[in-house]
Amino acid sequence: LSVVYSEDNKTFDKAVRYIEKALSLDGGNAVFHFTYGQLLTLKGKFDDAKKSFQRAAQLNSDMKNEVNEELKKLKKLEES
């Protein structure tokens, strides 16, 4: 749901609030951390996004490939 909201700039902050609420209810959910990392990336908060992606990988090792791809994207954004 939060990713859908993020596609509309008017409701981007709402998407962030939804995923933050989801994390407050289930902080051990790797998908929530991954999604939060994506939203933080869009906000330009690269350090926080990196932490969120790393947490997702810690919680679910099956997500390491996806996390590594996002971290590569982050690195390119940081360099540009």
Side-chain angles (χ1 to χ4, degrees), residues 29-38 41 48-75:
N29 186 307
V31 174
F32 294 167
H33 284 280
F34 186 83
T35 303
Y36 193 44
Q38 291 176 314
T41 299
D48 292 334
K50 191 180 299 184
K51 290 175 188 173
S52 207
F53 289 132
Q54 290 169 338
R55 183 67 179 135
Q58 287 175 338
L59 291 168
N60 184 346
S61 61
D62 291 338
M63 294 185 75
K64 285 190 179 184
N65 288 337
E66 292 93 339
V67 166
N68 286 335
E69 287 301 313
E70 293 297 323
L71 292 173
K72 286 179 193 176
K73 291 178 193 176
L74 264 179
K75 187 173 182 172

Side-chain angles (χ1 to χ4, degrees), residues 15-40:
V16 173
R17 285 194 305 273
Y18 277 133
I19 198 66
E20 288 173 343
K21 178 67 174 176
L23 282 166
S24 74
L25 295 172
D26 186 3
N29 186 307
V31 174
F32 294 167
H33 284 280
F34 186 83
T35 303
Y36 193 44
Q38 291 176 314
L39 293 172
L40 291 169

